[in-house]
Amino acid sequence: MRPAWALGLGWLKFACAKGYGGPINWFLSLSIWKLPARLSYAVYLVHFTLILAVNSSSSVQSFFSVPKLIFDASAFLFITTIIAFVITVTIDAPFSTLTKLLLIKELCQRKLSSMKVNNTVLMMRFLDASARIPRAILLGNTLDLGNYHQCLNILEYVEDMNVQGKYCMVHVSLNQSTLMLFLERPFVDLEKDDFNRFTIYERLEKRLQAVFGMQSHDTRISSGRTPLSNINLRLAICVPESCTPREAVEALFFNITEYNINLEEQFCRLPNDKPWAPSDYIAIIIFSSILFIVTLSTCFDVWNAFISKKDTGIRTIYSCFSVYTNTRRLVTFKPGAEPLHCIDGIRALAMFWVVLGHTFLSMISSVNVLETFQWATTTRAMWVTSATITVDTFFMLSGLLIVYSTAGKLSSMQLLKNIHLFYLNRLLRMFPILAAMILYEASFLNRVLDGPKWNDMVTPILNCRQYWWSALLHIQNLYNPLHACLAVSWYLSVDVQLHILSPIILVWVLTGKKNIAWTALIAGFLITLVAASIYNFINDFGSGLFANNVHELERYFAYYYSNTLTRASPFLVGMIFGYILHLCKGKYPHIPKAILLTTWTFALLVLAGVIYCVPLNFRDGWDNQLADNLLNSYMRPAWALGLGWLIFACVKGYGGPINWFLSLSIWKLPARLSYAVYLIHYSLILAMNSSSSVQPYFSIPKLIFDTTAFLFITTIIAFVVTVTIDAPFATLTKLLLTKDNRKTNNKK
């Protein structure tokens, strides 16, 4: 009887596990059984004692009936389950955890002992994948990454045990009593010059640690008796997966507890330790759907263009996702009535400068970090450290084009009646690539690469999973400036907000009356400039991204760098020059050579002066709050003013070789791709830097080479994204807004 029962249950389990259970498997697999199943052991031990106690304490005899039996069984089951839950949580679970820890510790010791005695080759693989003393400590390097991939590829079966490699990063402070005995010995004494180098490095690092992602890697602790005593080394250790770094070091080397050496674990990594998230599945569905539609649209378009050669009349809609059509449009350039050719060169070069600046940031954690910091504080580095000002180039161009493209085409009343189209056109044009990059960063970015510093990617990935909505609503600079999804998208938030506010001035510019237009433009600029100046002098920000501490940097970025008010003045300068170009459209005013030479000299001096002043607060010993306030208030509109004259002079025939260079046709395609390049490049730089198995060595040729590589790869990706995502949605948006505009005109 009993084996027959077991035989029947065995078949039932087999059938359910292999997909032949039908409704029985569905019923037995319901999630409501999971908690009772976990409590079943405790319920089994508790229930009979409870039944006996209740039965024995009853003052009257029970009367048997089936309803009574069901009622009593339900009551006992409910009460027993509650008691079992309490016992499991308070007694069983804690002891289970302790038992697991003890067993894991015992398993760790077994693995380590087995390697030391019976498998020294395996032990050497673990040691070989672990860190050594960091190279170039005197150049500021305190990190050794070991061999990440070699460590995780360790997987062997030894004495009935699976030995899997685990990569861990630990901190070891040299300011410890035992290590100080070594550091104070004569053969590690440092010369005065070496001490001075560490002192300079310490000051520079404090100003840069938060900017370059070094906040969690404190390499300076309390002051010690030698320069080396201030160092906190970051070392990679490869250990078996059931061991902690401390256990492995004590078993393979010496007892660090006995010598009072503090070893702090930062993180550990195992193979395939990236769990799948809902955003991953959403990304697969959306990107696969786009790929499918692009393939169908391209096949339809190629068939009509080269095989059937028929115009179906609906080709625009069905071919809007076609790679063939969108590529042709992207590389075809049609000049307008009075094209602003020089703007293409300015936009492309500004984008190159942005990539250069971010590439330099990625090289800060180099082997020769001290030399990198020292070079960055010199005037020779201005062409790199001044890159932050280039964002104001885009604000200025945005303001210029918003006036130049609407003045003469719309009246004030037309703008107000079509204000929804004015806003929708801007938002919908920016949406496709922004949404695609947000989805990519929240999903695939976590899977494309991996490496010893991949933990640095966790924050941007989690930011996009949490704050994707604020990025799409363009409110990140107001709501979550320090936890932005897509770090570079703060610019889009500010730009959209300025675009939304621009009709306050634009409605007066479009009246067609010059006095009213000039009054509105100048008044708007002066009000904004005065308000921003008052704001800056009240808050006393630093004048750059190189703060003395983390709190100061966060305050600067959240309340100044990504603030709409402080970024509005370049936008308004752009609106003024856009109106000047509109008034002079088709005209080429004569400017005397003396005035022309004076104006060009002034503009170039202003641009050069701003480039010189941007990194001033990076200089060692800089402490001038008045200068900081003046720079924060006026250097951005001054930069926009210099660019405004440059554009005006080039458009009106006074640009000379500058206009020739900026108007070259080679800039047209990079200018069209600049928006996509801007959104894509920083994620690529972060991913490549975080997946690197070795630290880079900073040099100018290395910086130029990496910048060129990032530009080339990003441009290719931007081209693909523009052709497959941006261009199709741009066509659909144009069709939608044109249809809406026709309906509005018909109602009129």
Side-chain angles (χ1 to χ4, degrees), residues 160-408:
D160 300 326
M161 297 178 295
N162 280 324
V163 181
Q164 169 68 64
K166 180 171 69 173
Y167 180 90
C168 296
M169 184 66 68
V170 299
H171 287 184
V172 180
S173 170
L174 296 186
N175 191 18
Q176 301 180 44
S177 56
T178 303
L179 294 177
M180 285 298 298
L181 297 176
F182 170 77
L183 296 177
E184 289 180 342
R185 296 179 67 177
F187 64 86
V188 294
D189 283 347
L190 300 177
E191 300 294 335
K192 184 177 180 180
D193 290 342
D194 294 322
F195 183 84
N196 291 336
R197 288 164 66 86
F198 271 91
T199 304
I200 295 172
Y201 169 54
E202 184 172 7
R203 290 202 304 268
L204 291 174
E205 186 188 50
K206 288 179 179 178
R207 298 171 68 85
L208 289 164
Q209 58 179 355
V211 181
F212 302 125
M214 298 176 62
Q215 180 183 353
S216 60
H217 305 152
D218 289 332
T219 56
R220 289 295 172 275
I221 53 178
S222 59
S223 59
R225 286 167 283 183
T226 74
L228 289 178
S229 68
N230 285 332
I231 293 179
N232 186 9
L233 299 180
R234 291 173 287 145
L235 307 175
I237 298 180
C238 186
V239 301
E241 83 286 355
S242 54
C243 298
T244 65
R246 177 178 289 273
E247 291 171 341
V249 170
E250 290 183 346
L252 298 177
F253 296 102
F254 59 91
N255 192 336
I256 59 176
T257 304
E258 179 182 343
Y259 288 95
N260 195 29
I261 297 177
N262 182 32
L263 186 147
E264 179 185 347
E265 179 183 317
Q266 185 184 2
F267 67 85
C268 288
R269 295 290 308 278
L270 288 166
N272 304 316
D273 59 355
K274 299 176 182 178
W276 283 78
S279 57
D280 297 323
Y281 300 105
I282 295 173
I284 291 174
I285 294 171
I286 291 179
F287 289 130
S288 298
S289 300
I290 292 175
L291 179 61
F292 178 71
I293 295 172
V294 167
T295 303
L296 288 181
S297 181
T298 303
C299 292
F300 173 83
D301 192 30
V302 171
W303 174 271
N304 280 294
F306 297 102
I307 301 177
S308 67
K309 297 182 180 180
K310 294 180 181 179
D311 187 1
T312 61
I314 54 174
R315 185 174 173 181
T316 301
I317 298 176
Y318 284 95
S319 64
C320 66
F321 280 86
S322 169
V323 173
Y324 169 69
T325 295
N326 291 330
T327 301
R328 286 182 61 192
R329 290 175 180 171
L330 186 60
V331 298
T332 302
F333 310 104
K334 297 179 180 179
E338 186 175 319
L340 309 178
H341 291 301
C342 62
I343 287 182
D344 292 332
I346 293 172
R347 183 184 283 120
L349 292 174
M351 192 62 254
F352 295 169
W353 204 5
V354 170
V355 176
L356 172 66
H358 286 152
T359 303
F360 174 69
L361 296 189
S362 71
M363 299 183 70
I364 285 298
S365 57
S366 56
V367 172
N368 56 332
V369 62
L370 177 58
E371 292 179 341
T372 307
F373 285 176
Q374 288 179 324
W375 177 81
T377 61
T378 64
T379 55
R380 293 174 295 163
M382 285 193 304
W383 58 285
V384 175
T385 54
S386 298
T388 55
I389 195 64
T390 195
V391 180
D392 295 287
T393 302
F394 294 113
F395 286 126
M396 186 272 174
L397 293 177
S398 182
L400 185 149
L401 293 174
I402 203 173
V403 174
Y404 188 76
S405 61
T406 55

Side-chain angles (χ1 to χ4, degrees), residues 17 28 34 48 83 182 216 339 357 387 417 449 488 540 560 567 576 598 684:
L28 294 177
K34 293 189 180 296
F48 195 65
I83 297 172
F182 170 77
S216 60
K417 289 180 179 180
L449 293 170
V488 296
D540 285 340
Y560 174 81
R567 294 289 187 168
I576 292 173
T598 303
L684 176 65

Side-chain angles (χ1 to χ4, degrees), residues 406 408-417 506-507 510-512:
T406 55
K409 297 179 182 178
L410 293 176
S411 65
S412 298
M413 291 305 298
Q414 287 175 325
L415 174 65
L416 293 175
K417 289 180 179 180
L506 194 59
V507 70
L510 299 181
T511 57

